[in-house]
Amino acid sequence: MNLLSAQLSQLQSATLRFRDLLKACIGRRDLTAGRALHALFLKSFVPPSTYLANHFVLLYSSCGQLALAHQSFDEISQPNVFSHNALLAAYARLSHPDAAHRLFLRIPFPDLVSYNTLLSAFAAADGACSLDSVRLFSHMRRLGSDADGFTLSSVISSVVDDVEQLHSLAIASGLDSYVSVNNALISSYSKGGLLNEAERVFGGMVTSRDAVSWNCMIVAYGQHRRGPKALNLFQEMMRREFEVDMYTLASLLTAFTSVKDLDGGAQFHAQLIKTGFERNSHVGSGLIDLYSKVGQIRDARKVFEEVDDPDLVVWNTMISGYSVNDEFSEEGIQCFREMQRAGFRPDDCSFVCAISACSNLSSPSQGKQMHGLTIKTEFPSNQISVDNALISMYSKCGNLRDAHMLFKRMPKQNVVSFNTMIGAYAQHGLGLEALVLFKEMLNLDHVPTSITFISVLSACAHTGRVDEGWKYFNSMKQKYDIQPGEEHYSCMLDLLARAGKFDEAEGLVKRMPFDPGLIGWSTLLSACRTHGNLELGAMAAEKLLQLEPANAAAYVMLSNMYASTGRWDEFATVRKLMKDRGVRKKPGCSWIELEKKIHVFVADDVTHPRIKDICQFLEEMSKKMKLAGYVPDVRWAPIRDNITGETRAGYHSEKLAVAFGLISTAEGVPILVVKNLRICGDCHSSIKFISAITGREITVRDAHRFHCFSDGNCSCGDFW
């Protein structure tokens, strides 16, 4: 008996030592040592124990090894609520709310930890699971389960619309004494546009604020473009001797980024260099985002290269920075490949940014490669965002059929999916299809957003549907409580001006609650250029130049309007003013991708290896076009330096790219050309004739929309 007792005591002691070693591995997130212990456990005579098995689930969960955590859970013969909670935490930590919810439903008797863990998973979904969160919380209360501060802060973090009710509940239940609840209220009020309420909550936390409270309020000011307030709050935080960490600094950088304050951000960067924080991955990510969004992409890259051990977030931020600056999209794709070579596995954010870069380039081959990679990669929680990016990519590469096919095959669509597809139809001139899809979206109970209406109004503008445009514009405020913004008014100005209704357009400008801004005046000027409304166009150009004196497009359009009406003195005055101010016109260029290689052309290009063949093709085509009734429109290339407008327009970049595409591909093969500026009227007319003569389908994507030429017609119906 004494021998048996001694053996049992030894076994118990070994089990305790084993448990302590396993706990140490969990604390250090030491996957290698933990797996070695697991192997030892399986080979040894340590008796099977739900208690120890739960620790293996915790180990793999903390190390982000979801498959191993799930395998360990499945090996437990009698899992208890702790077993379920350990695996539930793994799903929550790795942002898999749907899988977490399914597991939760399998727990026989969920406890408060079970509810809180699932609610945290819903909160991490950034609003996508707000309804699920509220339903679970309501169910929990009906069952009489006690809620704590963690419960309520998770629910508040999940929602935007019901914050006031949850705030009242927090006060009534006394849970507003929890700092985490108040921090969640600040963030949710801010996300819902209620900055004053967020300030009131923060103001009421005079004695209970922690560093997270200050960070939340700084971020709130950043979200609402209150950069100076964010900076003042940061300085007050410093005076009160709160510990400033990387999250505080990143929050302040968010404020600078939201208002695109390059000077303030650069000064703050200098302070960060003195403290050494700029090499931190979290702070570095904020700096990269700031420099990218103000167009200083090379400075963003310098920051990236100085970050110590950049993590996946830093890589994604750099790829995103390239993708939001169109001219650096090629570098964005290269950065994506660098990241893979560095051993990082792309996540949904990586793919969304890289696919966006492919969209900017209109590169079908690279876009399809990205699509292939996404198929090989699993995105359990955010596949929908990747699919939305792919729809946009196929559309911008001129492949509307595949975009529509992918949209229809999506297992689940959200508002962004519909917005993307409606916008695709609008850009391709299919206004009717865009409006039909919008009605389908409403029938499926998707609530339209302000972005939805930009696409809808754009569809009306591109197809001349003035009455429908007014109907949808008025419904924004009346039916959906969406206040029209600058872009919505610009769409309406575009719609009215394109339709030649300049009196209505001027009336709308006078009734607008704010100045039309750069977008509005540019839109109006462009339409005046098309319709030859010199008086209104001159006013729009003047307003535009007051806002942005370096806007080359305004000078060029206004001078060309004067030239088209023979007012050469005014033409010369505008061009001289442009020269005196040192403003240079952005050079027009067009490109076409053939056999995975991009060929770029500029006007009067002589550098391409096949330029002689291209020019010969255009000369032959010009003769055939004139026989078919083509008359050059020299208004789009005023006479200059003894070169006739006809000659200059004849070698615009889009014509060179189209010609190269036609001579380099087999008969019947459609071609896609991309132009960085708006296609000119003469090129538009010419390509219509070329499509009829060659029997080819030619698509030109310019800075505004797609023009699909076929059999002498364009998808825009000459309404562009």
Side-chain angles (χ1 to χ4, degrees), residues 4-24:
L4 179 61
S5 297
Q7 288 176 335
L8 286 173
S9 178
Q10 264 189 332
L11 185 59
Q12 186 178 17
S13 178
T15 302
L16 290 174
R17 285 200 302 272
F18 187 87
R19 179 205 63 185
D20 292 340
L21 286 170
L22 187 53
K23 280 187 173 182

Side-chain angles (χ1 to χ4, degrees), residues 192-462:
L194 302 173
L195 182 61
N196 291 337
E197 283 75 2
E199 287 180 314
R200 274 196 285 272
V201 173
F202 182 76
M205 299 172 65
V206 177
T207 59
S208 61
R209 296 171 188 159
D210 60 9
V212 176
S213 313
W214 292 87
N215 290 346
C216 288
M217 199 62 234
I218 290 170
V219 170
Y221 282 133
Q223 289 171 335
H224 289 264
R225 304 176 68 83
R226 301 288 196 276
K229 281 196 169 186
L231 184 57
N232 290 337
L233 200 62
F234 171 74
Q235 291 169 341
E236 184 182 347
M237 181 181 179
M238 295 280 287
R239 283 195 297 271
R240 296 191 181 210
E241 298 183 350
F242 275 90
E243 184 179 352
V244 174
D245 59 15
M246 59 184 179
Y247 300 105
T248 312
L249 300 173
S251 299
L252 189 57
L253 283 169
T254 300
F256 285 120
T257 304
S258 68
V259 294
K260 296 186 177 180
D261 183 357
L262 177 59
D263 292 336
Q267 290 175 21
F268 188 60
H269 187 185
Q271 293 180 23
L272 291 174
I273 292 172
K274 294 176 183 177
T275 60
F277 266 110
E278 91 286 358
R279 306 187 77 87
N280 174 274
S281 61
H282 202 74
V283 176
S285 179
L287 285 168
I288 293 167
D289 193 40
L290 167 66
Y291 284 121
S292 299
K293 287 180 178 173
V294 296
Q296 302 294 320
I297 193 68
R298 300 195 190 283
D299 288 335
R301 181 71 194 198
K302 287 179 185 176
V303 172
F304 172 79
E305 291 172 352
E306 291 172 357
V307 172
D308 293 329
D309 299 320
D311 56 16
L312 184 61
V313 174
V314 175
W315 280 98
N316 286 347
T317 308
M318 191 67 248
I319 297 168
S320 175
Y322 283 128
S323 69
V324 297
N325 291 271
D326 290 5
E327 64 270 31
F328 291 96
S329 294
E330 185 68 44
E331 286 85 345
I333 296 171
Q334 291 173 2
C335 189
F336 177 83
R337 290 170 180 154
E338 281 179 48
M339 181 186 76
Q340 289 179 295
R341 287 194 292 270
F344 288 92
R345 184 179 180 182
D347 63 2
D348 56 288
C349 182
S350 313
F351 277 109
V352 168
C353 297
I355 292 167
S356 176
C358 295
S359 300
N360 297 336
L361 290 170
S362 283
S363 174
S365 63
Q366 297 194 85
K368 287 179 180 178
Q369 286 179 21
M370 287 294 172
H371 192 178
L373 282 173
T374 65
I375 292 171
K376 297 175 183 177
T377 309
E378 292 185 6
F379 306 103
S381 65
N382 213 9
Q383 176 69 51
I384 193 168
S385 65
V386 177
D387 286 341
N388 291 340
L390 287 168
I391 291 169
S392 179
M393 181 274 295
Y394 278 117
S395 167
K396 290 181 179 179
C397 289
N399 191 343
L400 194 59
R401 183 180 63 182
D402 282 354
H404 179 261
M405 186 184 302
L406 184 58
F407 174 78
K408 286 297 183 183
R409 288 180 177 177
M410 289 177 70
K412 185 179 180 182
Q413 298 155 334
N414 60 11
V415 174
V416 178
S417 313
F418 279 92
N419 289 350
T420 305
M421 199 65 228
I422 292 169
Y425 281 135
Q427 273 204 318
H428 281 262
L430 302 175
L432 178 60
E433 288 82 351
L435 298 179
V436 167
L437 186 59
F438 175 60
K439 291 172 183 174
E440 181 184 331
M441 172 185 172
L442 298 180
N443 290 337
L444 292 171
D445 294 328
H446 288 288
V447 180
T449 64
S450 71
I451 295 175
T452 312
F453 281 102
I454 291 173
S455 296
V456 169
L457 294 175
S458 178
C460 294
H462 285 307

